[in-house]
């Protein structure tokens, strides 16, 4: 168990840097790597558990990822890393939120890890210089999104069904 704990700290990029502000959440999900990966990249599945619909989902570095409704983008970014069944990273910026207008772009990273027979999803939302409006919003949103994802993969239903 000690080995698992230290391995997870390393994987999560545990750091002693005092100026870094980031949000991290680790969640154990009873599913397969393939099903979890597909839930992170397939629009029809993303739309079941995410808080707003996905408009575009790139599958290569440099391609666009965006969320919103037809004609209005709420979240926009660019794929930074796409390693099948291992890691997805993209930039993140609230596009249509007046309170977050001056906030800098950040980075969302999903890592899928198998450790001692367990499947773990590690979400890191980094790149914050301070706990700004975007940070306040995502710290409330990510726990719901990840819980909804876990529930969907394990039961076939979302939290609201």
């Amino acid at each position: 168990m000690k080995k698992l704990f230290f391995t997870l700290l390393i994987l999560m990029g545990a750091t002693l840097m005092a100026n870094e502000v980031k949000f991290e959440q680790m969640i154990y999900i009873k599913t397969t790597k393939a099903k979890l990966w597909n839930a992170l990249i397939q629009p029809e599945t993303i739309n079941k558990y995410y808080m707003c619909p996905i408009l575009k989902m790139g599958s290569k570095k440099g391609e666009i990822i965006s969320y919103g409704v037809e004609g209005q983008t709420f979240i926009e970014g660019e794929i930074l890393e796409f390693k099948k069944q291992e890691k997805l990273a993209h930039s993140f910026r609230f596009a249509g939120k007046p309170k977050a207008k001056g906030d800098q772009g950040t980075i969302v990273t999903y890592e899928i890890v198998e450790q001692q027979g367990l499947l773990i999803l590690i979400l890191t939302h980094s790149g914050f210089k301070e706990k700004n409006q975007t940070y306040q919003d995502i710290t409330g949103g990510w726990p719901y999104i990840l819980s909804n994802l876990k529930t969907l993969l394990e039961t076939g239903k979302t939290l609201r069904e």
Side-chain angles (χ1 to χ4, degrees), residues 15-104:
T15 181
L16 297 175
M17 293 175 56
N19 293 340
E20 187 176 19
V21 178
K22 62 184 172 182
F23 175 85
E24 293 180 309
Q25 187 171 348
M26 177 179 68
I27 191 163
Y28 295 84
I29 303 176
K30 189 172 185 173
T31 191
T32 65
K33 263 185 148 179
K35 287 180 182 176
L36 177 53
W37 179 253
N38 288 336
L40 295 176
I41 65 164
Q42 292 179 338
E44 59 276 2
T45 307
I46 294 168
N47 289 339
K48 291 179 183 177
Y49 68 85
Y50 209 84
M51 293 173 83
C52 70
I54 192 155
L55 296 171
K56 293 180 187 171
M57 178 63 200
S59 60
K60 296 177 187 164
K61 187 175 180 176
E63 292 185 345
I64 300 297
I65 182 170
S66 64
Y67 297 85
V69 292
E70 200 60 43
Q72 189 174 8
T73 301
F74 299 129
I75 299 168
E76 59 188 7
E78 179 181 310
I79 303 294
L80 303 173
E81 195 168 350
F82 196 94
K83 288 185 182 176
K84 188 176 180 181
Q85 294 187 21
E86 290 181 29
K87 187 175 185 180
L88 170 63
H90 64 83
S91 58
F92 179 103
R93 189 178 77 75
F94 280 121
K97 195 162 194 168
K99 288 183 179 180
K101 189 174 184 176
D103 293 355
Q104 76 281 0

Side-chain angles (χ1 to χ4, degrees), residues 72-137:
Q72 189 174 8
T73 301
F74 299 129
I75 299 168
E76 59 188 7
E78 179 181 310
I79 303 294
L80 303 173
E81 195 168 350
F82 196 94
K83 288 185 182 176
K84 188 176 180 181
Q85 294 187 21
E86 290 181 29
K87 187 175 185 180
L88 170 63
H90 64 83
S91 58
F92 179 103
R93 189 178 77 75
F94 280 121
K97 195 162 194 168
K99 288 183 179 180
K101 189 174 184 176
D103 293 355
Q104 76 281 0
T106 54
I107 298 172
V108 174
T109 305
Y110 302 89
E111 292 180 85
I112 300 172
V113 177
E114 277 188 277
Q115 183 72 36
Q116 298 179 351
L118 301 172
L119 189 61
I120 305 161
L121 177 62
I122 301 167
L123 175 117
T124 305
H125 197 144
S126 61
F128 294 96
K129 291 184 172 81
E130 62 185 350
K131 292 184 178 180
N132 56 21
Q133 184 63 48
T134 298
Y135 182 83
Q136 298 304 320
D137 291 343

